[in-house]
Structure formats: C-alpha cells, structure tokens
Amino acid sequence: MSKEKLLIPELRFPEFSNERGWEKEELGIISEIVRGGSPRPIQDYLTTDINGFNWLKIADVPSDSKYITETKEKVIKEGLSSTREVNPGDLILSNSMSFGRPYILKIKTCIHDGWIAIRKISNVTFEDYLYYFISSESSQKYFDTNAAGAAVKNLNADIIKLLPVLFPKNKKEQQKIASCLSSLDEVITAHSQKLELLKDHKKGLMQNLFPQEGEKVPKYRFKEFEKDGEWIQTTVEDNCLVKGRIGYRGYTTQDLVGQGEGALVLGGKHIQNQMLELKDPTYLSWEKYYESPEIMVEVGDIIFSQRGTLGDCAIINREIGPATINPSMVLLKNITCNASFLYYILIGDRIQIEVQKNRAMGAIPMLSQKQIKEFPFLIPKNPKEQQKIASFLSSLDDLVAAQVEKIEQLKLHKKGLIQSLFPKIIE
C-alpha cells in the first residue's frame, strides 16, 4: 500500500479519531476491472422467455438509483459467449456519455460494452464503501480529467484501474461512512417518493377538475359553481396571441452575450417539471432583443415548446427582467382568460394528447404555430371558476416546489458530507 502521503479526512467519527492515516491504492489492485460485451446484432439474441438471461442497458437504469434490481430485457443462452455476466455485489459504471456513475448489482445480469464491471473486490474494502468513494467529487473529477475523446468522452478499463482509492485500514470505519451516507440516501429516497405521490395526486385532481373526453362538465366541481352549466368550447387562439421568433430575425452564437450585456433568452432547458427554471441562463444581445418586440416576455405570459421536447410549458409567474424566447418556443401573450387556468389546461392530458397527435416527425419533432393556435379545450364561462381551479392547483404546485427544494438541499448536504468524509492529500 502507498504511504508516501498522510491521508486524513476533514470530518471523522470520534471513535476513529486516534486511528492512523488512511491507505491509498489503485482500484485495479484491489479489484478486477472488466468490460462488458455485446452479441451482434443484439436483436437476434433478445428473448421474451422468462428463463432468458438478464440483459442490462444503460437507458434502463434510473440515474438516481444505487442498486440494480431488475432488467427490462433478456437474452438467449447463445449470446453468453459474446457478453459478460456479472453478479450480485459487483459494481458497474457506464464508460461513455454520462460516464463514471456507479451502481451496485443486486441481480445476476449480462452487460454490454457500454458498461465496466468492478468485481472480485479485495477484503481491504467492500462494495458499499467503494460505491460512495467512486461517487465522490474527487473520483468523478479523475474520470472527467482522464476520459478520452473530444466530442464524446469515454472511459476505458485501463483508466478506471488507475483510479486512486483512499480508505481507512479499519473496515469498521469504512462501514460507518457507508452506513452514514446510506441512511441519508434513504431519507432522500423517502422524500423523492413523497414528491412522486404529490405529483400523482395533482395529476389525478387535474383529470377530475377538467372535463374528460366527451364530457362538458368536470367530475369534481366547486360547490359555488355547480349550477353554472356546461363549459364552452374554445381554442388557444381564442384566448391569447401566439407568437414565435420570425425566421429572418433569428440569431447565431455570436449574438449571445454575458450576464448584464443583454436580455435573458428562454428555451426548453428553462422548463423543468413544467415550471420556470433559470439556473442555467443564456443572454441575447440588446440589439436582437429589441428587434423582436412581439416576443418580449412579461409576467403572466406562457412559454410553450414547439420544437424538441414538445408541449413543455411554463407560466412566467414572477419578474425575471428583460427576456425573449429562442426559436424552439412560442410565447402566449395578451391572455384574456385566467392565465394560470390556461397554463393548467396546456399541461393537462387533453392538450398533451393533441401535441402528440399533431407532431411532425423528423430529426427534431415540431409543431406549427397554426396547430398550437387551434388546440381545442373547454373553459368555464365564469372567470371566478377559472381562478378557483387555478388557485387550487397552484397551491399544490407550491407543495411540489417545496418538496423539490427539500430534496435538493438534502442532496447538497450529502455532497458536502462526501467531500468531508473522504480525505484530502496533505503534503
């Protein structure tokens, strides 16, 4: 083991404070690193037979999972000679695109050549500790620095073998670290499940607060509006202006500027969970901003995606300063009905079905402005009913947003803990 430098974590559990410095060893010394393999063409080896062999694809794995517990596909026995089987307790990580994210296997499965397996782990450590160490910022930075490729970076087994692994010699300390972080993962999982329940609850309410196909009144109606009669047929265009960026007023990357040098330009990346998200802002020159006054964004407007991730939308529910839209979006302005009500109509099932029905297929899926303008829906005649529905759903959105923020804070806390629980090298 290498002992050239003293390895001490910033944060250490009291019972181990008098223990010696940590050890450092290359991952390839304390485990076996192997690449997956794929029989080709894979379609010839896939099977629906329940007795087939598990076949794991990167796209099948939730990005926030710790464990692999199932696969969506299986392969026949004849494919085994061209792939690699891995076992419960092995770690795997992807070697391209979003590379370096580890997972612990709970099942036996075959992996293709987009996976790297870490197996036959030495008794100086164990899989849970390695999982958190490989997830740490220092390990991920090592992968990012050493990954090969220009446009698409990727890892190979040799790079992964050389990852410096830091660990306390006392495995009880390793276990304590892993248990601490695992407990925090359980809290994050519990809050994530609560978030999904809130989203499901909201979805169910929306299905009942708006008339379903063939109906002209909703299943659930606030008591004060029960005698207001049927909702009326309308379209998006009947309730607002639909504006997009005119082709000859487009822009190039040369028109993009820094913060304070232009207006915010909104695109698909600024819609997360059908809400406005400005963590990754882009700015457009003032010249280009003032060139298109018809798409200057104001509070109460709605942005709607007409290219790429179709149907995503967000209401501008707060002051965001001078802003415009990019060519992938349309802007709904001068809204004559309740703007929040229209927003909930747009994210509801009926409009989203219209989106999928009208989409033009190609390299980039798209909708025309004309199609968006003609989207049909039902609306209550009484503006007070529109407001009541919008306010009710908005209160649920507040709960969802608070839950999202809570999860983000827990993840930040976990990130800070990982940085403190693993040592820095002291010269």
Side-chain angles (χ1 to χ4, degrees):
M1 300 290 177
S2 172
K3 303 176 185 176
E4 295 175 359
K5 298 183 180 186
L6 183 61
L7 304 170
I8 301 173
E10 180 183 328
L11 182 64
R12 204 167 192 182
F13 295 103
E15 60 266 42
F16 305 108
S17 58
N18 294 323
E19 296 271 346
R20 57 182 292 181
W22 287 25
E23 306 285 339
K24 180 173 75 170
E25 193 55 272
E26 292 173 358
L27 183 58
I29 299 296
I30 60 174
S31 66
E32 181 181 54
I33 313 297
V34 293
R35 187 180 181 185
S38 179
R40 289 182 170 85
I42 185 59
Q43 291 79 5
D44 293 349
Y45 295 88
L46 295 176
T47 180
T48 56
D49 189 336
I50 193 172
N51 295 314
F53 297 83
N54 288 328
W55 175 249
L56 184 66
K57 296 189 300 183
I58 293 173
D60 295 338
V61 181
S63 60
D64 56 351
S65 293
K66 177 180 178 180
Y67 299 107
I68 304 292
T69 58
E70 62 180 356
T71 65
K72 294 183 179 179
E73 294 181 335
K74 293 179 182 291
V75 292
I76 57 178
K77 184 178 180 181
E78 287 75 10
L80 294 183
S81 61
S82 302
T83 185
R84 189 179 298 276
E85 280 192 289
V86 284
N87 298 293
D90 292 346
L91 276 74
I92 59 170
L93 59 156
S94 58
N95 61 23
S96 63
M97 300 300 283
S98 56
F99 56 78
R101 169 69 163 85
Y103 302 90
I104 300 175
L105 286 166
K106 288 288 189 180
I107 58 170
K108 188 171 185 175
T109 185
C110 300
I111 56 172
H112 59 61
D113 46 16
W115 292 108
I116 295 282
I118 303 167
R119 62 184 191 178
K120 297 181 182 178
I121 298 168
S122 161
N123 60 11
V124 301
T125 187
F126 63 105
E127 64 269 19
D128 270 75
Y129 177 84
L130 273 183
Y131 167 81
Y132 287 112
F133 182 81
I134 294 171
S135 300
S136 70
E137 187 175 359
S138 61
S139 295
Q140 294 299 306
K141 186 177 180 180
Y142 166 85
F143 290 147
D144 188 58
T145 301
N146 291 280
V152 179
K153 288 189 173 184
N154 59 81
L155 296 171
N156 59 47
D158 290 334
I159 293 172
I160 295 170
K161 286 177 184 178
L162 295 176
L163 172 69
V165 178
L166 312 179
F167 55 93
K169 191 170 184 179
N170 188 338
K171 286 182 75 173
K172 289 183 179 178
E173 186 172 2
Q174 295 183 38
Q175 183 63 61
K176 187 89 177 209
I177 292 168
S179 296
C180 171
L181 294 171
S182 183
S183 296
L184 190 51
D185 274 341
E186 290 173 5
V187 174
I188 292 171
T189 298
H191 279 285
S192 297
Q193 290 171 344
K194 182 179 178 181
L195 175 62
E196 292 308 309
L197 287 173
L198 281 170
K199 289 180 178 179
D200 288 344
H201 179 56
K202 175 187 168 184
K203 184 176 181 180
L205 280 172
M206 287 183 66
Q207 289 173 344
N208 290 307
L209 287 171
F210 297 106
Q212 295 303 296
E213 189 68 39
E215 302 291 332
K216 292 191 176 181
V217 292
K219 183 177 180 181
Y220 296 159
R221 202 166 190 182
F222 294 104
K223 191 171 183 179
E224 60 266 41
F225 306 111
E226 287 179 348
K227 297 180 181 179
D228 279 9
E230 295 179 344
W231 288 22
I232 56 176
Q233 187 73 42
T234 187
T235 65
V236 170
E237 187 178 27
D238 290 337
N239 293 274
C240 65
L241 297 178
V242 179
K243 297 291 184 179
R245 181 168 288 278
I246 298 172
Y248 66 86
R249 292 181 185 166
Y251 61 87
T252 69
T253 54
Q254 292 181 340
D255 297 308
L256 300 180
V257 296
Q259 185 175 3
E261 299 174 343
L264 185 66
V265 57
L266 300 176
K269 69 176 182 178
H270 299 118
I271 302 174
Q272 299 292 328
N273 297 313
Q274 306 290 29
M275 295 181 184
L276 190 64
E277 173 56 75
L278 300 178
K279 287 182 180 177
D280 184 18
T282 302
Y283 297 93
L284 187 66
S285 70
W286 291 120
E287 179 184 359
K288 281 293 180 181
Y289 171 67
Y290 287 116
E291 185 180 59
S292 300
E294 72 280 1
I295 52 171
M296 290 179 177
V297 178
E298 298 175 322
V299 175
D301 291 348
I302 295 172
I303 56 173
F304 188 93
S305 176
Q306 69 170 141
R307 289 190 182 93
T309 310
L310 301 180
D312 277 4
C313 73
I315 187 167
I316 311 302
N317 56 5
R318 62 187 186 276
E319 183 58 58
I320 60 174
T324 184
I325 56 171
N326 74 16
S328 72
M329 312 300 292
V330 292
L331 185 65
L332 279 55
K333 294 182 67 68
N334 298 355
I335 300 170
T336 55
C337 64
N338 182 280
S340 293
F341 177 86
L342 179 59
Y343 160 73
Y344 288 114
I345 285 286
L346 292 170
I347 66 173
D349 287 347
R350 292 185 71 173
I351 293 294
Q352 291 300 312
I353 289 171
E354 289 293 323
V355 167
Q356 296 308 315
K357 188 192 302 181
N358 287 280
R359 64 188 294 179
M361 299 305 295
I364 301 177
M366 67 174 293
L367 293 166
S368 69
Q369 284 187 43
K370 182 176 184 294
Q371 287 171 320
I372 295 169
K373 289 176 181 179
E374 293 175 351
F375 282 160
F377 62 94
L378 294 168
I379 189 170
K381 291 174 284 188
N382 190 338
K384 291 183 179 179
E385 186 171 7
Q386 299 174 30
Q387 178 62 52
K388 184 94 175 191
I389 293 169
S391 297
F392 182 75
L393 292 172
S394 180
S395 66
L396 274 179
D397 277 341
D398 290 341
L399 291 176
V400 169
Q403 191 65 17
V404 169
E405 178 62 22
K406 188 177 293 185
I407 292 168
E408 288 303 310
Q409 290 301 317
L410 284 168
K411 288 180 177 179
L412 283 174
H413 178 56
K414 176 186 170 183
K415 183 179 179 180
L417 265 181
I418 289 178
Q419 289 175 346
S420 298
L421 287 171
F422 295 113
K424 298 175 182 177
I425 296 177
I426 301 174
E427 299 292 346

